[in-house]
Amino acid sequence: MVEYLPRSAWNARPPNGGPGNLTVSRVEGAVIHWPGTGSTSVIHSKAAVASALRGWQDYHMDTRGWSDIAYQVAVDQAGRAWTLRGLRTQSGANGDTDVNERYGAILLILVTGEQPSAAMKATTRGVIADFRRIYPRGTAIRPHSAVRPEPTDCPGDPARAAIARGEFTPGHSEDDMTPAQMQELKNFIEARTQAYALWTHRQLRKDLSAVVKAYALDIKNYERQTDAADAARAAAAVWATAPPSLQADGAAAEQPAAPDPNVDPELSLPDLDPFPDAPAAAEAEADAGK
């Protein structure tokens, strides 16, 4: 559910009467609008949006003679949803009475040439989902130019293209990333993968080297102990055949204990290096080549 800013957030004037609520069974969908001011000066801050909404309400009521600002809900580039007439009240923005009775009206606060932001598209999807909960048969999403009896450029080419791509449709799976953002994510994943592969290679090489050294040392120790044991056994055999007088003067060589074959030798392996950050991948690769 979308959190809607109330009319008091933009200091709205009270409406002069109005057409009343939409009839649920008649609603076919929602129509997407833009202000169409011809300006390229963006309207992004909360204060700027509130001021613009008051200006458009004054124009609609004082110049056009309408009961209120024409649209039901406005969505800005920051993803804020503003209550205008409200989703249940019939709009005055779509064209003639018949079209206004069959469609709701959502205003995207865009200026000429401006692309809808990811936040704007996400909130608009939420608003349309709320709209469909009220009007289950109202599943169509149309640009104003497709329903108005007279020609209009509303809601502008960028919004019209977004509608065609389904980017305002609830449940749309597109992640709203720009091509540049997609490339940046791809680069990050590739760098992270390379860094992990290099880290794994270096750790395995280090561990294998430690195992080889420990094994070689173990073999030497075993051979040394085995050779000493063999020498002691040979000396004992010689002393056993020696005359008693010699045995009295000498002492049998003390035989060292043989290593226990059932006990694994204790190995001292190095601690793992910390996993490198993705930006350090290039530096790690250079180190690996040294």
Side-chain angles (χ1 to χ4, degrees):
M1 296 288 287
V2 175
E3 182 177 348
Y4 297 87
L5 294 170
R7 286 172 64 92
S8 59
W10 54 282
N11 197 25
R13 295 162 54 182
N16 296 327
N21 290 346
L22 288 168
T23 302
V24 173
S25 61
R26 291 207 60 190
V27 175
E28 299 176 13
V31 169
I32 303 297
H33 295 256
W34 73 331
T37 62
S39 171
T40 57
S41 298
V42 297
I43 308 170
H44 289 176
S45 71
K46 189 174 182 180
V49 174
S51 177
L53 291 174
R54 287 194 300 272
W56 295 327
Q57 184 188 42
D58 289 343
Y59 172 72
H60 289 176
M61 295 179 70
D62 300 336
T63 302
R64 303 299 297 269
W66 297 341
S67 62
D68 198 355
I69 189 170
Y71 317 98
Q72 293 177 304
V73 171
V75 180
D76 63 24
Q77 287 283 51
R80 293 177 288 252
W82 302 75
T83 301
L84 304 185
R85 292 192 179 193
L87 290 177
R88 296 184 182 275
T89 303
Q90 179 179 310
S91 85
N94 293 326
D96 58 26
T97 301
D98 175 65
V99 178
N100 285 331
E101 289 176 347
R102 293 189 290 118
Y103 291 96
I106 300 172
L107 174 67
L108 304 183
I109 302 180
L110 296 169
V111 299
T112 301
E114 189 176 18
Q115 294 287 338
S117 68
M120 173 179 279
K121 289 186 282 187
T123 298
T124 303
R125 288 195 293 269
V127 171
I128 291 176
D130 290 345
F131 185 87
R132 289 178 175 181
R133 278 188 278 272
I134 301 172
Y135 310 102
R137 297 175 58 185
T139 58
I141 302 173
R142 311 283 299 278
H144 187 203
S145 56
V147 302
R148 184 178 173 179
E150 299 84 16
T152 178
D153 186 46
C154 182
D157 291 337
R160 205 166 13 251
I163 294 170
R165 291 191 298 265
E167 294 175 358
F168 295 126
T169 303
H172 181 63
S173 61
E174 195 252 340
D175 56 15
D176 292 319
M177 282 190 172
T178 65
Q181 290 171 326
M182 289 291 291
Q183 186 61 47
E184 182 179 356
L185 177 61
K186 180 181 177 182
N187 293 342
F188 173 80
I189 293 173
E190 289 178 351
R192 194 67 173 169
T193 301
Q194 292 174 2
Y196 180 73
L198 178 61
W199 177 81
T200 302
H201 171 75
R202 295 179 68 181
Q203 290 299 148
L204 289 176
R205 185 174 61 184
K206 181 188 295 186
D207 292 349
L208 181 59
S209 176
V211 169
V212 169
K213 290 179 180 178
Y215 179 75
L217 181 62
D218 230 33
I219 289 296
K220 289 181 179 180
N221 290 335
Y222 180 77
E223 289 175 347
R224 185 165 50 250
Q225 293 178 23
T226 302
D227 291 345
D230 289 344
R233 283 192 292 270
V238 170
W239 282 108
T241 59
S245 59
L246 291 177
Q247 293 183 18
D249 294 338
E254 185 177 349
Q255 184 172 322
D260 187 351
N262 296 318
V263 177
D264 292 332
E266 182 178 353
L267 298 180
S268 178
L269 297 179
D271 294 334
L272 294 179
D273 291 337
F275 184 70
D277 293 332
E283 181 180 349
E285 290 177 353
D287 291 343
K290 292 181 180 179

